[in-house]
Amino acid sequence: MLELIIGNIWIVVGLWVALGAYLLWYFFGAKTIQPLSLDALAITWKLHKKQAGCTAAHLNTILVKQNKVVGFKCDCGYNYTQKRLIAQKASSDMQTNLVPRLSHKITNVVEAKRSLQKLGVEYSSIRKV
């Protein structure tokens, strides 16, 4: 009888450890791809060029998921994808603070290209992720 109780205690302890490990992963490890505004894309690319000493004249590819910009690939081989923790909420004012012509949604490729050129960013292609 005592062995049965001790065996059940180990099962309960094991379940609590598994739950704790899952919660740690969920809050600190699990990530999802998030949209990136066009001006944030331009700033991130310019920051990459400055910090890495990149001499690329333009972006190789803009990464898109569900008609939203999520990252880029530079000519030097640098890949950037905006990721956030699953438990972290996206900024609720991100969409309202953007100037309409610099929306992070790509509805018109020509308009997006013009907007990025105004920010000093040129790209070769758009690839869906």
Side-chain angles (χ1 to χ4, degrees), residues 52-73:
C54 177
T55 58
H58 67 283
L59 294 173
N60 186 353
T61 307
I62 291 182
L63 305 175
V64 175
K65 182 178 181 181
Q66 297 175 350
N67 291 333
K68 296 179 183 177
V69 176
V70 294
F72 64 88
K73 182 176 180 184

Side-chain angles (χ1 to χ4, degrees), residues 28-81:
F28 300 110
K31 295 184 179 183
T32 183
I33 296 175
Q34 294 292 317
L36 184 67
S37 68
L38 294 181
D39 26 340
L41 173 80
I43 291 169
T44 305
W45 182 61
K46 289 177 183 179
L47 188 65
H48 155 69
K49 284 183 63 167
K50 186 175 183 180
Q51 288 181 342
C54 177
T55 58
H58 67 283
L59 294 173
N60 186 353
T61 307
I62 291 182
L63 305 175
V64 175
K65 182 178 181 181
Q66 297 175 350
N67 291 333
K68 296 179 183 177
V69 176
V70 294
F72 64 88
K73 182 176 180 184
C74 185
D75 277 340
C76 69
Y78 176 75
N79 287 318
Y80 176 79
T81 304

